[in-house]
Amino acid sequence: NAGVMQNPRHLVRRRGQEARLRCSPMKGHSHVYWYRQLPEEGLKFMVYLQKENIIDESGMPKERFSAEFPKEGPSILRIQQVVRGDSAAYFCASSPGHLEKLFFGSGTQLSVL
Amino acid sequence: GENVEQHPSTLSVQEGDSAVIKCTYSDSASNYFPWYKQELGKGPQLIIDIRSNVGEKKDQRIAVTLNKTAKHFSLHITETQPEDSAVYFCAASINTGTASKLTFGTGTRLQVTL
């Protein structure tokens, strides 16, 4: 059973471009969480999704950031018009239910030039 | 919202010694407390967790204790080995009937020296 798969591992964008980060949860998991990690800091919650629904997006900036988890395919975290401050490691986690343990992927390191 | 504080930020121990990392949380409604280990270039890996209905849990060399009254919990690693070197994160969450999310501490960089 493959773990949580994130791609790409590294993503370089210039200011003003769009970044798309993908996350395939573990098989059988229908709950997906996105977290952001800055160097030497802990993980900050961004958004929690179930299939086709956003459950909690309280940690996600209101502008430029969006997330989806369609019925088919991976969850996508989209950042429009990236700025240097968006540079960070973005981690996805999945769980089989909202009361269950979270399993994290290896992350996507976003660098904005 | 929930706030989790973690100490120390760095910890160096000799191989074979014990390591203790402490966390405090602010929301008394929190009821789930996992610990994650993150190695360089990798995602956090769950190593042990505890729910609020127990005070202590042990898994081989790793143990976690929880004091609900004081709102703090601790990770204990005994007989440390070089492969225990990593960044450790505590977290707390309020698991309700509809949703839950983890709030993480800022991490402890553990270095086990020979």
Side-chain angles (χ1 to χ4, degrees):
Chain A
N1 186 10
V4 178
M5 303 300 292
Q6 287 189 251
N7 67 82
R9 286 298 310 274
H10 302 276
L11 182 60
V12 180
R13 285 288 178 266
R14 295 190 182 278
R15 282 179 297 171
Q17 291 184 321
E18 178 181 286
R20 280 184 178 242
L21 289 63
R22 295 175 182 77
C23 169
S24 295
M26 289 179 69
K27 187 177 180 181
H29 288 194
S30 58
H31 298 244
V32 166
Y33 302 75
W34 285 93
Y35 283 80
R36 168 182 158 130
Q37 185 178 37
L38 293 171
E40 305 301 319
E41 291 188 15
L43 293 92
K44 303 293 186 186
F45 169 79
M46 298 182 72
V47 61
Y48 164 35
L49 310 103
Q50 295 178 23
K51 284 285 188 181
E52 300 184 278
N53 286 305
I54 296 175
I55 307 301
D56 182 346
E57 56 182 347
S58 59
M60 200 156 67
K62 295 280 189 289
E63 297 180 354
R64 302 189 297 109
F65 285 72
S66 63
E68 63 177 12
F69 188 16
K71 186 177 180 181
E72 301 290 338
S75 175
I76 305 287
L77 179 67
R78 182 184 179 201
I79 310 172
Q80 295 178 292
Q81 300 173 346
V82 296
V83 300
R84 289 220 173 103
D86 296 333
S87 296
Y90 292 83
F91 288 96
C92 168
S94 73
S95 70
H98 66 269
L99 295 179
E100 302 295 328
K101 303 171 195 286
L102 263 61
F103 295 88
F104 282 83
S106 296
T108 293
Q109 180 64 52
L110 173 65
S111 298
V112 180
L113 305 179
Chain B
E2 175 66 279
N3 182 47
V4 177
E5 295 191 357
Q6 182 171 349
H7 301 280
S9 57
T10 59
L11 179 60
S12 182
V13 299
Q14 284 198 322
E15 184 180 7
D17 288 349
S18 296
V20 180
I21 303 171
K22 298 181 179 181
C23 289
T24 60
Y25 60 99
S26 61
D27 195 329
S28 56
S30 290
N31 54 9
Y32 175 62
F33 308 92
W35 285 87
Y36 285 83
K37 175 184 181 181
Q38 186 176 26
E39 296 175 328
L40 192 63
K42 297 184 179 180
Q45 300 298 311
L46 179 68
I47 55 172
I48 194 167
D49 57 6
I50 191 168
R51 298 190 185 271
S52 58
N53 57 345
V54 298
E56 185 174 356
K57 184 177 179 180
K58 189 173 182 180
D59 182 3
Q60 299 183 336
R61 296 186 298 108
I62 295 174
V64 58
T65 59
L66 171 65
N67 183 327
K68 288 176 59 180
T69 303
K71 290 190 284 187
H72 67 70
F73 55 114
S74 301
L75 178 71
H76 303 252
I77 306 175
T78 58
E79 300 173 27
T80 53
Q81 301 168 3
E83 51 265 38
D84 294 330
S85 296
V87 180
Y88 291 80
F89 291 97
C90 63
S93 83
I94 303 170
N95 287 346
T96 68
T98 55
S100 63
K101 63 186 181 188
L102 290 174
T103 300
F104 283 83
T106 50
T108 296
R109 184 175 298 277
L110 174 65
Q111 180 69 45
V112 179
T113 58
L114 297 173

